């Protein structure tokens, strides 16, 4: 039906003339009620809206909402000078990192029995001693392109009594292995002379002095103060003075050690005693003191005095005369002729007396000196250790264990290095803590010992900066996020990699696992750099979710590969593929001079160039474009499950494990002496990170480490201590050992309450938006579109409308066959006729005449009929 066919003639004429050039329309139908049906209008409107909701909701979520939120989150993670703790315009800044560190110590309960070899060591666990960690940053600078930021920092901690055990205080006493003594032992490990023997030699002038003074005291008590020196020399060479009083005083032997005394001697200082014992052992002959000379041992008083003058000099109980030490070194390591030549060059006044000693007596005198060095030196060394509270096992307060104590052995070595040793306190004050006791401690300490006004920017992580370097001063260079995701480490302690025995360890990865990246997937493992282990580790989804202050998070734990023993097969395949020759590499590393090594510490590119110009050649490749955690564990190497060798870090045989040897192999626990004593649990002693999946931020952490030392028997001071038999087999270690746990720590953190609320609000908003746009909108839209479409097509009004249109479309006129000209005219009528069929037919005829050139009436009548048919 043609709706509203009214209009004036002028408009009709205009339309006729304007539309004549358009393609003709045969017929159009408009239902009159469609223009006035509000119900149909709303149905069509809701159909369109429902369709848009169904399609547009998910599209808006994917292409609008999620990208905008991701952009906001990325902007929040990007490092810039406006972010807290990253402002390069200030000299230093303190960053509260909200990390709680809990220390648990292993207190040794049977130290004496262990040292005597009677039983393996036993422990009780004490703690926790909780601390709140803080960080001070300084010397902060950005790269020219602002894509990386570098800073120096150190951490300090405050004791938290509330989170510590009720009875825990820092003056509690701990009995454990002294790392300083292990460092001392490790100094000469693998050398011809071990550290204890070397110390015995260094103490030899004092040992001889103490022996001579002890004999003098006994002779004075027996004979008075007259001619004490000659009597003492005679007792030392022949034992005659005491032997003469053996009967009158009812003495048991001619040796001063057997004279009753409130403080008995632990060894025989006389040369004559050594001669008698030597004949008994070498020839099975028991000789008396008065028979010594008859057996060919001739040592005059002049020769005896010359020997003591040369070997003691000005030494005393605590000081060793360098000239005496030089003579003893020459005496013990050279022939008699060479020693006499040495004395000749020195124009020594003792030369004639020393030249009078025959070859046999000279040889026995050397043996005596070595024997007295072991026996008397051991006693002297033991006294010094006891006096300085040193040795293998020590008793110290927790505060001393954590923040440092002066070790007597290391202190002597540091003092021997010359003035300025106090500027290097780490050389003689071992400490267990990963932090300082206060933010200002390194500045105040170095300021006090140097007499200068130290500032933060004068502290350095660089080992070559003597007087400024401290081991707990650290450095990092991390990505800002301008060109790649933020918080990825580019350098640690100035290096992107660290040389080890069998290759190079990467020093890169996500910074301590604080940020993983946007939209974390459960199936994605993540490489994280852990500065405590000084290694990259691989974390993977553990299969469980956790809630941290109301924030739903994924829990990532150490991958099996991160704790597995090194994979030598993968390592060998890698070395074959890259052409890496570990033996050539070790040879090159061993030939690095101290000057080159210091330069390498300051400039990693210099190290690369050094290797390329070495025998490794120009084609040398580090081969670390990809990583393989189990392969890379061969670089140190880490030979056993869930342990990380840190001997280089602590300068003695040491390794990290998880607390109570969680996930460690039975071999490792067997070296402690008690396989079943540890009772580790995954919940308390594992290592993991709670990562919020949308932001990729570690909203919670549970990092744990346990420090352990490998302790072996020593040649002089501790030859009997208990070790695990067979522990050196297939381990690469030269002697059996016992694994001694010292302490373990648990580092935990959570977001601040305000940050957790903000993150929860954002996640809630995103969750609601996702639910609305992806679930509710499509569901409502689909329901609306389908229901309105069904009403439009099959509703009651739709059926009525369809019936009426069908009625209007019906025509009672007989079918006509139109000629082509008639079709064109019919088309014109269908466009230009504006009158309804009910109007006067004369107006229709007039319209027809306007549209066509009439030549006969029949055509005219035919057109009128066709017009009615078309507009029906």
């Amino acid at each position: 039906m043609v709706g509203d066919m009214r209009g004036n003639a002028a408009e009709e004429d205009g339309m006729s003339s304007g539309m004549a050039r358009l393609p003709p329309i045969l017929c159009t139908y408009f239902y009159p009620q469609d223009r006035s049906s509000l119900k149909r209008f709303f149905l069509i409107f809701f159909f369109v809206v429902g369709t848009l909701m169904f399609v547009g909701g998910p599209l808006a979520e994917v292409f609008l909402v999620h990208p905008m939120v991701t952009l906001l989150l990325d902007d929040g993670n990007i490092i810039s000078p406006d972010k807290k703790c990253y402002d390069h315009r200030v000299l230093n800044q303190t960053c509260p990192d909200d990390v709680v560190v809990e220390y648990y110590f292993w207190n040794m309960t049977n130290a004496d029995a262990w040292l005597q070899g009677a039983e393996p060591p036993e422990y009780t666990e004490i703690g926790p001693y909780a601390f709140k960690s803080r960080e001070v940053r300084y010397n902060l600078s950005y790269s020219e392109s602002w894509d990386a930021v570098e800073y120096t920092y150190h951490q300090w901690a405050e004791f938290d009594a509330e989170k510590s055990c009720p009875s825990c205080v820092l003056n509690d006493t701990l009995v454990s292995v002294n790392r300083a003594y292990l460092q001392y032992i490790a100094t000469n490990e693998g050398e011809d002379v071990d550290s204890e023997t070397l110390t015995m030699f260094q103490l030899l002038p004092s040992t001889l002095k103490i022996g001579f003074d002890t004999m003098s005291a006994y002779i004075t008590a027996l004979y008075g103060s007259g001619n004490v020196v000659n009597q003492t020399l005679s007792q030392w060479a022949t034992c005659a003075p005491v032997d003469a009083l053996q009967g009158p005083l009812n003495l048991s032997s001619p040796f001063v050690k057997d004279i009753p005394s409130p403080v008995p001697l632990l060894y025989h200082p006389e040369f004559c005693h050594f001669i008698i014992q030597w004949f008994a052992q070498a020839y099975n002959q028991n000789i008396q003191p008065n028979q010594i000379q008859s057996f060919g041992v001739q040592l005059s008083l002049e020769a005896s005095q010359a020997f003591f003058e040369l070997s003691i000099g000005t030494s005393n109980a605590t000081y060793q005369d360098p000239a005496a030490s030089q003579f003893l070194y020459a005496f013990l390591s050279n022939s008699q002729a060479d020693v006499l030549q040495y004395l000749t060059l020195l124009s020594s006044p003792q030369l004639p007396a020393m030249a009078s000693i025959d070859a046999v007596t000279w040889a026995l005198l050397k043996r005596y000196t070595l024997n007295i060095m072991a026996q008397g030196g051991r006693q002297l060394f033991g006294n010094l250790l006891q006096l300085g509270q040193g040795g293998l096992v020590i008793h110290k307060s927790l505060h001393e264990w954590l923040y440092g104590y002066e070790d007597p052995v290391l202190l002597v070595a540091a003092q021997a290095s010359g003035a300025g040793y106090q500027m290097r306190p780490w050389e003689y004050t071992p400490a267990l803590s990963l932090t300082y006791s206060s933010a200002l401690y390194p500045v105040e300490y170095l300021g006090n010992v140097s007499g200068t006004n130290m500032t933060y920017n004068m502290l350095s992580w660089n080992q070559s900066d003597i007087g400024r370097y401290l081991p707990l001063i650290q450095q990092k260079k991390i990505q800002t996020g301008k060109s790649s995701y933020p918080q990825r480490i580019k350098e640690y302690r100035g290096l992107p990699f660290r040389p080890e025995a069998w290759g190079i360890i990467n020093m890169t990865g996500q910074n301590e696992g604080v940020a993983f990246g946007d939209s974390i997937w459960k199936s994605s493992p993540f490489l994280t750099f852990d500065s405590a282990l000084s290694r990259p580790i691989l974390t993977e989804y553990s299969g469980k979710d956790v809630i941290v202050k109301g924030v739903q998070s994924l829990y990532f734990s150490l991958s099996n590969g991160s704790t597995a023993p090194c994979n030598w097969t993968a390592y060998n395949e890698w070395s074959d593929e890259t052409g890496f020759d570990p033996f050539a590499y070790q040879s090159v590393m061993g030939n690095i001079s101290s000057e080159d090594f210091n330069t390498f510490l300051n400039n990693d590119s210099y190290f690369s160039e050094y290797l390329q110009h070495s025998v490794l050649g120009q084609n040398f490749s580090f081969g670390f474009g990809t990583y393989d955690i189990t392969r890379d564990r061969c670089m140190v190497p880490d030979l056993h499950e869930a342990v990380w060798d840190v001997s280089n870090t602590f300068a003695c045989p040491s390794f990290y494990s998880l607390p109570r040897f969680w996930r460690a192999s039975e071999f490792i626990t067997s070296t402690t002496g008690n396989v079943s004593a540890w009772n580790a649990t995954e919940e308390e002693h594992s290592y993991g990170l709670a990562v919020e999946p949308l932001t990729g931020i570690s909203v919670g952490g549970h990092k744990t480490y346990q420090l352990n030392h490998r302790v072996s028997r020593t040649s002089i001071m501790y030859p009997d201590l208990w070790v695990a038999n067979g522990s050196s087999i297939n381990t690469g270690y030269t002697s059996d050992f016992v694994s001694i746990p010292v302490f373990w720590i648990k580092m935990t953190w959570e977001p601040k309450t305000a940050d957790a609320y903000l993150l929860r609000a954002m996640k809630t908003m995103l969750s609601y938006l996702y639910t609305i746009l992806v679930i509710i909108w499509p569901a409502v839209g689909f329901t609306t579109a389908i229901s309105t479409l069904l009403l439009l097509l099959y509703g009651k009004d739709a059926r009525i409308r369809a019936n009426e249109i069908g009625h209007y479309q019906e025509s009672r006129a007989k079918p006509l066959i139109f000629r082509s000209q008639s079709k064109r005219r019919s088309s014109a009528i269908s466009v230009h006729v504006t009158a309804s069929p009910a109007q006067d037919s004369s107006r229709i005829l007039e319209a027809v005449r306007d549209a066509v050139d009439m030549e006969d009436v029949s055509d005219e009548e035919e057109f009128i009929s066709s017009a009615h048919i078309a507009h029906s």
Side-chain angles (χ1 to χ4, degrees):
M1 289 291 296
V2 176
D4 192 5
M5 303 175 67
R6 292 168 295 185
N8 57 57
E11 291 176 347
E12 294 169 6
D13 292 342
M15 291 178 62
S16 176
S17 61
M19 299 297 292
R21 294 187 300 273
L22 297 174
I25 301 174
L26 180 61
C27 54
T28 58
Y29 303 102
F30 291 98
Y31 187 54
Q33 285 78 4
D34 285 352
R35 296 188 61 181
S36 60
S37 176
L38 188 62
K39 180 179 180 181
R40 180 175 175 81
F41 170 78
F42 278 112
L43 288 174
I44 295 174
F45 173 78
F46 282 113
F47 173 76
V48 174
V49 170
T51 303
L52 292 175
M53 290 176 66
F54 179 75
V55 177
L59 293 177
E61 164 66 20
V62 174
F63 296 106
L64 180 62
V65 175
H66 192 79
M68 288 182 63
V69 173
T70 301
L71 184 62
L72 290 173
L73 293 174
D74 284 346
D75 183 65
N77 286 328
I78 290 176
I79 297 171
S80 69
D82 296 329
K83 296 293 176 63
K84 184 175 179 60
C85 298
Y86 290 103
D87 191 349
H88 66 297
R89 296 161 293 192
V90 297
L91 295 178
N92 59 80
Q93 45 207 312
T94 299
C95 308
D97 53 13
D98 299 309
V99 175
V100 176
V101 181
E102 297 178 0
Y103 288 84
Y104 297 80
F105 294 91
W106 295 108
N107 189 47
M108 190 178 293
T109 58
N110 63 336
D112 291 338
W114 170 59
L115 293 176
Q116 295 167 7
E119 56 192 30
E122 297 178 356
Y123 315 90
T124 56
E125 184 183 85
I126 58 175
Y129 296 82
F131 296 83
K132 293 180 180 178
S133 178
R134 304 286 187 270
E135 186 172 291
V136 183
R137 296 180 182 177
Y138 34 90
N139 298 334
L140 190 145
S141 62
Y142 287 86
S143 62
E144 292 184 1
S145 58
W146 294 87
D147 62 347
V149 60
E150 178 182 357
Y151 56 89
T152 309
Y153 69 97
H154 68 265
Q155 294 177 326
W156 58 283
E158 295 176 326
F159 182 67
D160 189 342
E162 293 183 359
K163 294 185 178 180
S164 302
C165 65
S167 60
C168 289
V169 291
L170 292 184
N171 61 1
D172 289 342
T173 299
L174 173 69
V175 180
S176 189
V177 169
N178 181 14
R179 191 179 85 218
Y181 198 83
L182 296 179
Q183 292 174 340
Y184 156 75
I185 293 296
T187 302
N188 281 55
E189 188 174 5
E191 302 292 335
D192 294 336
V193 179
D194 62 82
S195 296
E196 288 180 337
T197 301
L198 183 60
T199 298
M200 301 300 103
F201 171 76
Q202 292 170 340
L203 294 175
L204 186 54
S206 294
T207 303
L208 292 170
K209 172 64 174 175
I210 293 173
F212 188 86
D213 289 347
T214 302
M215 288 186 294
S216 296
Y218 278 98
I219 293 298
T220 301
L222 294 175
Y223 285 95
S225 58
N227 201 18
V228 174
V229 173
N230 285 341
Q231 288 278 56
T232 302
L233 291 172
S234 177
Q235 175 63 28
W236 179 76
T238 65
C239 297
V242 177
D243 186 33
L245 297 176
Q246 199 174 350
L249 297 180
N250 195 25
L251 300 177
S252 62
S253 77
F255 313 123
V256 295
K257 178 181 180 296
D258 297 328
I259 298 176
S261 172
V263 183
L265 280 171
L266 298 180
Y267 67 99
H268 294 275
E270 298 101 335
F271 176 61
C272 59
H273 175 271
F274 171 78
I275 296 299
I276 294 172
Q277 291 297 315
W278 185 78
F279 271 98
Q281 294 175 4
Y283 300 104
N284 197 26
Q285 292 204 22
N286 295 320
I287 65 173
Q288 299 301 315
N290 57 8
Q291 298 176 304
I292 291 177
Q293 291 186 0
S294 62
F295 276 87
V297 180
Q298 302 287 336
L299 195 61
S300 66
L301 292 182
E302 293 78 12
S304 300
Q305 185 172 0
F307 174 75
F308 275 108
E309 290 174 349
L310 289 171
S311 60
I312 294 177
T314 60
S315 301
N316 55 39
T318 59
Y319 169 75
Q320 288 76 44
D321 185 352
S325 297
Q326 291 176 1
F327 166 76
L328 287 169
Y329 178 78
F331 176 71
L332 294 175
S333 59
N334 293 279
S335 66
Q336 183 178 5
D338 290 338
V339 173
L340 295 176
Q341 180 65 30
Y342 167 75
L343 294 176
T344 302
L345 293 175
L346 294 178
S347 300
S348 172
Q350 291 84 14
L351 176 61
M354 293 296 294
S356 68
I357 303 175
D358 63 88
V360 173
T361 304
W362 188 283
L364 290 173
L365 186 58
K366 289 178 69 172
R367 288 176 178 269
Y368 160 80
T369 305
L370 292 173
N371 182 71
I372 208 69
M373 182 181 74
Q375 295 186 19
R378 186 179 189 278
Q379 181 177 353
L380 176 59
F381 189 33
N383 292 338
L384 291 176
L385 292 178
Q386 186 176 7
L387 182 65
Q389 298 181 353
L392 184 58
V393 176
I394 56 176
H395 301 64
K396 298 287 183 182
S397 70
L398 263 298
H399 189 276
E400 291 176 300
W401 280 103
L402 287 171
Y403 299 120
Y405 54 90
E406 289 187 355
D407 180 79
V409 175
L410 298 186
L411 180 60
V412 169
Q415 291 171 337
S417 65
Y421 71 92
Q422 289 180 305
M423 294 294 287
R424 305 182 302 276
W426 60 91
E427 292 184 357
Y428 58 91
T429 54
L432 296 178
S433 176
L434 303 178
T435 67
Y436 290 111
S437 57
S438 68
L440 290 172
Y441 175 81
V443 174
E444 292 176 341
Y445 173 82
L446 293 177
N448 290 335
V449 298
S450 65
T452 60
N453 185 20
M454 293 288 293
T455 58
Y456 280 120
N457 67 321
M458 298 173 68
L459 300 176
S460 174
W461 53 270
N462 197 327
Q463 191 170 3
S464 65
D465 294 338
I466 300 300
R468 298 168 60 196
Y469 161 80
L470 289 171
L472 293 181
I473 306 296
Q474 306 290 340
Q475 175 265 0
K476 284 181 182 178
K477 178 185 283 187
I478 60 178
Q479 295 173 172
T480 62
K482 179 181 178 183
S483 58
S484 56
Y485 197 80
Q487 291 289 346
R488 182 172 179 82
I489 289 183
K490 300 183 71 173
E491 286 182 4
Y492 176 67
R493 298 190 68 83
L495 299 172
F497 47 78
R498 189 185 74 195
E500 285 293 343
W502 291 84
I504 294 172
I505 289 183
N506 279 334
M507 308 288 274
T508 59
Q510 286 304 117
N511 182 16
E512 312 292 350
V514 299
F516 278 43
D518 298 331
S519 302
I520 300 302
W521 296 94
K522 295 181 179 180
S523 60
S524 301
F526 290 94
L527 192 68
T528 296
F529 179 79
D530 191 296
S531 59
L533 300 177
S534 293
R535 288 167 173 79
I537 58 174
L538 200 64
T539 59
E540 59 186 9
Y541 178 58
S542 64
K544 66 179 182 180
D545 297 346
V546 294
I547 298 177
V548 181
K549 285 193 174 181
V551 179
Q552 191 78 21
S553 306
L554 307 179
Y555 193 75
F556 282 75
S557 58
L558 289 178
S559 67
N560 291 330
S562 293
T563 58
C566 81
N567 188 335
W568 284 114
T569 301
Y571 174 84
N572 292 330
E573 291 176 352
W574 166 79
S575 60
D576 292 341
E577 180 182 353
T578 60
F580 180 80
D581 186 343
F583 300 102
Y585 169 79
Q586 292 179 58
S587 175
V588 170
M589 291 297 297
N591 291 329
I592 295 179
S593 65
S594 58
E595 294 80 6
D596 285 328
F597 186 75
N598 288 331
T599 306
F600 153 61
L601 290 175
N602 299 321
N603 188 341
D604 60 274
S605 61
Y606 177 86
F607 180 61
S608 301
E609 294 172 3
Y610 177 89
L611 292 179
Q612 290 177 2
H613 289 86
S614 68
V615 295
L616 299 176
Q618 294 289 334
N619 296 326
F620 175 75
S621 170
F622 292 115
F624 283 90
T626 59
Y627 66 87
D628 182 323
I629 287 296
T630 54
R631 176 203 70 191
D632 295 350
R633 279 174 58 77
C634 297
M635 302 305 168
V636 176
D638 296 320
L639 300 176
H640 303 286
E641 187 175 3
V643 297
W644 295 265
D645 192 288
V646 287
S647 299
N648 288 343
T649 302
F650 292 98
C652 64
S654 309
F655 64 91
Y656 273 133
S657 67
L658 296 175
R660 298 192 178 189
F661 302 101
W662 169 249
R663 293 175 67 171
S665 65
E666 185 175 340
F667 169 79
I668 292 296
T669 55
S670 69
T671 62
T672 67
N674 196 333
V675 177
S676 60
W678 305 108
N679 301 320
T681 62
E682 180 176 6
E683 180 179 0
E684 182 68 14
H685 305 109
S686 62
Y687 181 116
L689 302 169
V691 183
E692 197 287 307
L694 178 65
T695 62
I697 297 175
S698 296
V699 295
H702 186 272
K703 290 185 177 183
T704 57
Y705 316 92
Q706 178 171 289
L707 177 64
N708 314 272
H709 296 308
R710 291 196 313 271
V711 181
S712 298
R713 292 169 177 161
T714 64
S715 60
I716 296 176
M717 300 304 296
Y718 305 100
D720 301 318
L721 62 83
W722 186 94
V723 294
N725 291 329
S727 54
S728 62
I729 300 175
N730 299 324
T731 61
Y733 308 132
T734 57
S735 58
D736 288 344
F737 61 91
V738 55
S739 295
I740 303 291
V742 181
F743 74 98
W744 66 274
I745 63 172
K746 178 171 64 176
M747 302 173 63
T748 58
W749 67 89
E750 291 182 343
K752 294 180 180 178
T753 303
D755 294 337
Y757 280 141
L758 180 61
L759 189 56
R760 287 164 54 189
M762 182 174 293
K763 288 197 64 176
T764 302
M765 178 190 70
L766 288 174
S767 178
Y768 283 149
L769 287 174
Y770 178 87
T771 303
I772 292 172
L773 295 175
V774 179
I775 300 175
I776 297 178
W777 274 33
V780 172
F782 179 80
T783 303
T784 302
I786 292 298
S787 59
T788 53
L789 182 62
L790 291 174
L791 289 174
L792 285 170
L793 295 178
Y794 303 108
K796 178 180 179 182
D797 294 337
R799 292 196 301 271
I800 295 174
R801 180 179 180 276
N803 290 335
E804 291 185 7
I805 291 178
H807 174 72
Y808 289 135
Q809 288 176 333
E810 292 177 357
S811 173
R812 296 180 180 178
K814 63 181 179 179
L816 299 176
I817 300 177
F818 287 178
R819 301 188 301 271
S820 60
Q821 183 180 18
S822 301
K823 292 180 180 179
R824 289 196 298 275
R825 290 171 180 170
S826 177
S827 297
I829 292 300
S830 68
V831 174
H832 295 294
V833 173
T834 58
S836 65
Q839 291 178 302
D840 188 80
S841 60
S842 62
R843 293 191 61 193
I844 298 176
L845 180 60
E846 183 179 353
V848 171
R849 286 172 178 168
D850 292 337
V852 298
D853 180 23
M854 294 299 182
E855 294 182 356
D856 55 59
V857 177
S858 61
D859 286 347
E860 198 172 300
E861 292 174 349
E862 181 183 327
F863 256 78
I864 292 172
S865 298
S866 67
H868 280 289
I869 293 172
H871 288 279
S872 296

